[in-house]
Short mmCIF file of all heavy atoms in Angstrom, two decimals:
data_model
loop_
_atom_site.label_atom_id
_atom_site.label_comp_id
_atom_site.label_asym_id
_atom_site.label_seq_id
_atom_site.Cartn_x
_atom_site.Cartn_y
_atom_site.Cartn_z
N ILE A 190 -18.59 -17.48 -8.54
CA ILE A 190 -18.21 -18.90 -8.63
C ILE A 190 -19.20 -19.62 -9.53
O ILE A 190 -20.38 -19.24 -9.66
CB ILE A 190 -18.18 -19.57 -7.23
CG1 ILE A 190 -19.53 -19.45 -6.52
CG2 ILE A 190 -17.07 -18.97 -6.37
CD1 ILE A 190 -19.62 -20.24 -5.23
N TYR A 191 -18.72 -20.70 -10.17
CA TYR A 191 -19.57 -21.50 -11.07
C TYR A 191 -19.49 -22.95 -10.62
O TYR A 191 -18.41 -23.48 -10.35
CB TYR A 191 -19.09 -21.37 -12.51
CG TYR A 191 -19.92 -22.14 -13.51
CD1 TYR A 191 -21.17 -21.67 -13.91
CD2 TYR A 191 -19.48 -23.35 -14.02
CE1 TYR A 191 -21.95 -22.37 -14.81
CE2 TYR A 191 -20.25 -24.08 -14.93
CZ TYR A 191 -21.49 -23.58 -15.32
OH TYR A 191 -22.26 -24.28 -16.20
N GLY A 192 -20.65 -23.60 -10.49
CA GLY A 192 -20.70 -24.99 -10.05
C GLY A 192 -22.11 -25.38 -9.70
O GLY A 192 -23.08 -24.86 -10.27
N ALA A 193 -22.24 -26.30 -8.73
CA ALA A 193 -23.57 -26.79 -8.36
C ALA A 193 -23.58 -27.17 -6.89
O ALA A 193 -22.55 -27.56 -6.32
CB ALA A 193 -23.96 -27.99 -9.22
N GLU A 194 -24.76 -27.07 -6.27
CA GLU A 194 -24.93 -27.49 -4.88
C GLU A 194 -25.18 -28.99 -4.84
O GLU A 194 -26.02 -29.52 -5.58
CB GLU A 194 -26.11 -26.75 -4.24
CG GLU A 194 -26.30 -27.09 -2.77
CD GLU A 194 -27.57 -26.48 -2.18
OE1 GLU A 194 -28.39 -25.94 -2.96
OE2 GLU A 194 -27.75 -26.55 -0.95
N LYS A 195 -24.46 -29.68 -3.97
CA LYS A 195 -24.63 -31.13 -3.83
C LYS A 195 -25.65 -31.44 -2.73
O LYS A 195 -26.12 -30.56 -2.02
CB LYS A 195 -23.28 -31.78 -3.52
CG LYS A 195 -22.22 -31.53 -4.59
CD LYS A 195 -22.68 -31.99 -5.97
CE LYS A 195 -21.59 -31.73 -7.03
NZ LYS A 195 -22.06 -32.05 -8.39
N ASN A 196 -25.92 -32.75 -2.57
CA ASN A 196 -26.93 -33.17 -1.60
C ASN A 196 -26.52 -32.90 -0.17
O ASN A 196 -27.38 -32.81 0.72
CB ASN A 196 -27.21 -34.68 -1.77
CG ASN A 196 -27.90 -34.98 -3.10
OD1 ASN A 196 -28.71 -34.18 -3.57
ND2 ASN A 196 -27.59 -36.12 -3.70
N ASP A 197 -25.22 -32.77 0.08
CA ASP A 197 -24.75 -32.52 1.46
C ASP A 197 -24.84 -31.06 1.85
O ASP A 197 -24.40 -30.67 2.94
CB ASP A 197 -23.33 -33.03 1.65
CG ASP A 197 -22.33 -32.38 0.68
OD1 ASP A 197 -22.77 -31.56 -0.14
OD2 ASP A 197 -21.12 -32.70 0.76
N GLY A 198 -25.37 -30.23 0.97
CA GLY A 198 -25.54 -28.81 1.29
C GLY A 198 -24.34 -27.95 0.98
O GLY A 198 -24.38 -26.73 1.19
N LYS A 199 -23.26 -28.54 0.46
CA LYS A 199 -22.08 -27.78 0.09
C LYS A 199 -22.10 -27.48 -1.40
O LYS A 199 -22.68 -28.23 -2.20
CB LYS A 199 -20.80 -28.54 0.45
CG LYS A 199 -20.60 -28.74 1.95
CD LYS A 199 -19.29 -29.46 2.23
CE LYS A 199 -19.10 -29.66 3.73
NZ LYS A 199 -17.85 -30.40 4.03
N PHE A 200 -21.44 -26.37 -1.78
CA PHE A 200 -21.38 -25.96 -3.18
C PHE A 200 -20.03 -26.40 -3.76
O PHE A 200 -18.97 -26.01 -3.24
CB PHE A 200 -21.54 -24.45 -3.31
CG PHE A 200 -21.80 -23.98 -4.71
CD1 PHE A 200 -23.09 -23.82 -5.19
CD2 PHE A 200 -20.74 -23.69 -5.57
CE1 PHE A 200 -23.33 -23.38 -6.48
CE2 PHE A 200 -20.97 -23.25 -6.86
CZ PHE A 200 -22.27 -23.09 -7.32
N THR A 201 -20.07 -27.22 -4.79
CA THR A 201 -18.84 -27.68 -5.43
C THR A 201 -18.46 -26.70 -6.54
O THR A 201 -19.19 -26.55 -7.53
CB THR A 201 -19.03 -29.09 -6.02
OG1 THR A 201 -19.41 -29.98 -4.97
CG2 THR A 201 -17.73 -29.58 -6.64
N VAL A 202 -17.32 -26.06 -6.36
CA VAL A 202 -16.87 -25.03 -7.30
C VAL A 202 -16.13 -25.69 -8.46
O VAL A 202 -15.18 -26.46 -8.25
CB VAL A 202 -15.94 -24.01 -6.59
CG1 VAL A 202 -15.47 -22.94 -7.57
CG2 VAL A 202 -16.66 -23.37 -5.41
N GLU A 203 -16.55 -25.39 -9.68
CA GLU A 203 -15.85 -25.86 -10.87
C GLU A 203 -14.92 -24.80 -11.44
O GLU A 203 -13.90 -25.11 -12.05
CB GLU A 203 -16.86 -26.30 -11.94
CG GLU A 203 -17.71 -27.49 -11.52
CD GLU A 203 -18.70 -27.89 -12.59
OE1 GLU A 203 -18.59 -27.39 -13.73
OE2 GLU A 203 -19.60 -28.70 -12.29
N ASP A 204 -15.28 -23.53 -11.23
CA ASP A 204 -14.47 -22.42 -11.72
C ASP A 204 -14.90 -21.15 -10.98
O ASP A 204 -15.99 -21.11 -10.39
CB ASP A 204 -14.65 -22.24 -13.23
CG ASP A 204 -13.51 -21.44 -13.86
OD1 ASP A 204 -12.57 -21.07 -13.13
OD2 ASP A 204 -13.56 -21.17 -15.08
N PHE A 205 -14.07 -20.15 -10.99
CA PHE A 205 -14.44 -18.87 -10.38
C PHE A 205 -13.76 -17.75 -11.16
O PHE A 205 -12.80 -17.97 -11.91
CB PHE A 205 -14.04 -18.83 -8.89
CG PHE A 205 -12.56 -18.74 -8.64
CD1 PHE A 205 -11.94 -17.52 -8.43
CD2 PHE A 205 -11.78 -19.89 -8.62
CE1 PHE A 205 -10.59 -17.43 -8.20
CE2 PHE A 205 -10.41 -19.82 -8.39
CZ PHE A 205 -9.82 -18.59 -8.18
N CYS A 206 -14.25 -16.54 -10.97
CA CYS A 206 -13.63 -15.39 -11.63
C CYS A 206 -13.71 -14.17 -10.72
O CYS A 206 -14.56 -14.10 -9.83
CB CYS A 206 -14.28 -15.09 -12.99
SG CYS A 206 -15.93 -14.37 -12.91
N MET A 207 -12.78 -13.24 -10.97
CA MET A 207 -12.74 -11.98 -10.22
C MET A 207 -13.16 -10.84 -11.14
O MET A 207 -13.27 -11.02 -12.35
CB MET A 207 -11.33 -11.75 -9.66
CG MET A 207 -10.92 -12.79 -8.64
SD MET A 207 -9.24 -12.56 -8.02
CE MET A 207 -8.29 -13.34 -9.30
N ALA A 208 -13.36 -9.67 -10.57
CA ALA A 208 -13.83 -8.53 -11.36
C ALA A 208 -12.79 -8.06 -12.37
O ALA A 208 -13.12 -7.46 -13.38
CB ALA A 208 -14.21 -7.38 -10.44
N ASP A 209 -11.51 -8.34 -12.09
CA ASP A 209 -10.38 -7.95 -12.93
C ASP A 209 -10.25 -6.42 -13.02
O ASP A 209 -10.98 -5.68 -12.36
CB ASP A 209 -10.47 -8.56 -14.32
CG ASP A 209 -9.11 -9.10 -14.78
OD1 ASP A 209 -8.11 -8.42 -14.51
OD2 ASP A 209 -9.05 -10.19 -15.38
N LEU A 210 -9.30 -5.96 -13.83
CA LEU A 210 -8.93 -4.54 -13.84
C LEU A 210 -10.06 -3.67 -14.39
O LEU A 210 -10.71 -4.03 -15.37
CB LEU A 210 -7.67 -4.32 -14.69
CG LEU A 210 -6.32 -4.62 -14.05
CD1 LEU A 210 -6.19 -6.09 -13.68
CD2 LEU A 210 -5.19 -4.21 -14.97
N PRO A 211 -10.31 -2.50 -13.76
CA PRO A 211 -11.29 -1.56 -14.31
C PRO A 211 -10.73 -0.87 -15.55
O PRO A 211 -9.56 -1.06 -15.92
CB PRO A 211 -11.51 -0.56 -13.17
CG PRO A 211 -10.24 -0.62 -12.37
CD PRO A 211 -9.72 -2.03 -12.49
N LEU A 212 -11.56 -0.06 -16.19
CA LEU A 212 -11.12 0.65 -17.39
C LEU A 212 -10.05 1.68 -17.03
O LEU A 212 -10.04 2.23 -15.93
CB LEU A 212 -12.31 1.33 -18.06
CG LEU A 212 -13.37 0.40 -18.65
CD1 LEU A 212 -14.53 1.20 -19.21
CD2 LEU A 212 -12.77 -0.51 -19.73
N GLN A 213 -9.18 1.96 -17.99
CA GLN A 213 -8.02 2.83 -17.75
C GLN A 213 -8.00 3.99 -18.73
O GLN A 213 -8.25 3.81 -19.93
CB GLN A 213 -6.73 2.01 -17.87
CG GLN A 213 -5.47 2.75 -17.51
CD GLN A 213 -4.23 1.85 -17.70
OE1 GLN A 213 -3.99 1.34 -18.78
NE2 GLN A 213 -3.48 1.65 -16.63
N THR A 214 -7.71 5.18 -18.21
CA THR A 214 -7.52 6.35 -19.08
C THR A 214 -6.19 6.21 -19.80
O THR A 214 -5.18 5.90 -19.16
CB THR A 214 -7.53 7.64 -18.25
OG1 THR A 214 -8.75 7.72 -17.50
CG2 THR A 214 -7.41 8.86 -19.14
N PRO A 215 -6.13 6.42 -21.10
CA PRO A 215 -4.86 6.27 -21.83
C PRO A 215 -3.78 7.19 -21.26
O PRO A 215 -4.03 8.34 -20.88
CB PRO A 215 -5.21 6.66 -23.27
CG PRO A 215 -6.69 6.46 -23.37
CD PRO A 215 -7.24 6.76 -22.01
#
Side-chain angles (χ1 to χ4, degrees):
I190 58 172
Y191 181 76
E194 183 187 9
K195 301 303 180 186
N196 292 325
D197 58 359
K199 295 182 180 178
F200 193 92
T201 302
V202 180
E203 296 179 11
D204 199 2
F205 71 95
C206 73
M207 295 178 278
D209 223 320
L210 279 63
L212 294 176
Q213 186 181 57
T214 304

